[in-house]
Amino acid sequence: MQHEKWSKTEKAVAKRAFEAALHNEYEALAGKIKEMASHVKEPQDIWSIHDFLTEKRKEIGRKYDYRYSRLILVFALLIKEGWMEEADLRGLREDKVEKIKSLASGLAYNPDDD
Amino acid sequence: MQHEKWSKTEKAVAKRAFEAALHNEYEALAGKIKEMASHVKEPQDIWSIHDFLTEKRKEIGRKYDYRYSRLILVFALLIKEGWMEEADLRGLREDKVEKIKSLASGLAYNPDDD
C-alpha cells in the first residue's frame, strides 16, 4: 500500500480516534473479565480467564499499531470490529476515509472469520 | 532427604490432604480474582490480573508436585502457607508428621519472606 501523508490536523484526528477505539476495547474487555470472574466455579474457569487475557494482550498489542504507514489498515480493522465508527474519521481527507471504509468492508467478508 | 515409604493407607491420606489443599488454594484464588475483577478501572488493572494469574499458574504447577519423594516438603510448604492443616495429616506415620511439622516451622522463618 502506498504510504499516506498525514497533515497535522489529520494526525490529531487519528490520534483521538485511535485512543477512543482502544478505550472502547478496554471497556468491553473489563466488562468481559468481570463477567467471567463472576461465573468462576471450577479451577479451569480461572485458567480460562488467564488464557483469554493472554490472547487479548497479544491481540491488542499487535492491533493497536500507531505507525502512520499502518494506520489505514489499523482503522479499517477497528471499524470492522466495531471499536471505531466512521464518524470518528471526520477530519481525515476523503480519500483516506474511502480507503479505510473499502478495506473495512473487505475485511468484513474475510472467509477466515467463518 | 531420605526417601520415605508410604503405606496404602498413608497414600490415601496423602492424596486426600493434597486434594483438599489444592481445593482450598483454588477457592482463595477464585475469591481473589473476583475481587480484583470487581475493582478494574484502568487497563493496567486488567493486565495486573493477567500477570497475577501467570505467576499463580506457575506457582501452583510447581508447588503441587505429587511425587512421594517430594511429598514431605510439599506438605510442609502447604502447611506453612495455610492451605493444609496438621489435622489433615492424621493417618500418616508419626515420624512423617514430625518431619513435615519441623520443616514447616523451618520454612515459616525463611528470611527470604521478609
Side-chain angles (χ1 to χ4, degrees):
Chain A
M1 192 186 310
Q2 185 197 325
H3 284 192
E4 312 284 339
K5 295 220 179 300
W6 298 75
S7 71
K8 196 171 170 187
T9 308
E10 285 185 310
K11 285 180 178 181
V13 168
K15 189 73 181 168
R16 195 172 55 234
F18 183 91
E19 297 292 348
L22 187 56
H23 176 81
N24 292 339
E25 181 144 11
Y26 272 129
E27 286 280 298
L29 181 55
K32 176 76 177 168
I33 292 305
K34 283 171 205 275
E35 193 220 329
M36 287 179 89
S38 75
H39 288 97
V40 164
K41 287 197 182 66
E42 304 295 327
Q44 187 46 52
D45 301 335
I46 298 173
W47 305 135
S48 294
I49 294 177
H50 183 240
D51 292 339
F52 177 73
L53 285 175
T54 300
E55 280 312 302
K56 275 287 163 196
R57 201 166 192 167
K58 278 189 232 157
E59 182 200 323
I60 289 177
R62 251 190 329 255
K63 189 162 60 183
Y64 286 84
D65 180 353
Y66 198 80
R67 285 177 291 175
Y68 293 111
S69 61
R70 299 281 295 159
L71 227 40
I72 297 286
L73 189 57
V74 169
F75 283 9
L77 188 58
L78 294 175
I79 283 179
K80 180 222 162 188
E81 292 185 350
W83 308 118
M84 188 178 276
E85 294 183 3
E86 282 181 35
D88 298 324
L89 305 178
R90 211 169 288 144
L92 300 186
R93 276 177 47 158
E94 197 50 40
D95 59 327
K96 284 198 187 67
V97 175
E98 284 309 314
K99 273 192 189 168
I100 293 168
K101 283 164 62 176
S102 159
L103 266 169
S105 83
L107 289 168
Y109 294 102
N110 188 334
D112 290 347
D113 290 345
D114 292 342
Chain B
M1 191 186 313
Q2 184 196 328
H3 283 192
E4 312 285 338
K5 295 220 176 304
W6 298 75
S7 71
K8 196 172 171 187
T9 308
E10 284 184 310
K11 286 180 176 179
V13 169
K15 189 74 181 166
R16 194 172 56 233
F18 183 93
E19 298 292 349
L22 187 55
H23 176 81
N24 291 339
E25 183 145 11
Y26 272 129
E27 286 279 297
L29 181 56
K32 176 76 176 167
I33 292 304
K34 283 171 205 275
E35 193 220 327
M36 288 178 89
S38 75
H39 289 97
V40 165
K41 287 197 182 66
E42 304 295 325
Q44 188 47 51
D45 301 334
I46 298 172
W47 305 135
S48 294
I49 295 177
H50 183 240
D51 291 339
F52 176 74
L53 284 175
T54 299
E55 279 311 303
K56 275 288 162 194
R57 201 167 193 168
K58 278 191 233 156
E59 181 199 323
I60 289 177
R62 251 191 329 254
K63 189 163 60 182
Y64 286 84
D65 180 354
Y66 197 81
R67 285 177 290 175
Y68 292 111
S69 60
R70 300 281 295 160
L71 228 39
I72 297 286
L73 189 57
V74 169
F75 283 9
L77 188 58
L78 294 175
I79 282 179
K80 180 223 163 187
E81 292 185 350
W83 308 118
M84 188 178 277
E85 294 182 2
E86 282 182 36
D88 297 324
L89 305 177
R90 211 168 289 144
L92 299 186
R93 275 178 46 159
E94 197 48 41
D95 60 327
K96 284 198 186 67
V97 175
E98 284 310 314
K99 274 191 187 169
I100 292 168
K101 284 164 61 176
S102 160
L103 267 169
S105 82
L107 290 167
Y109 294 102
N110 189 334
D112 290 346
D113 290 347
D114 291 341

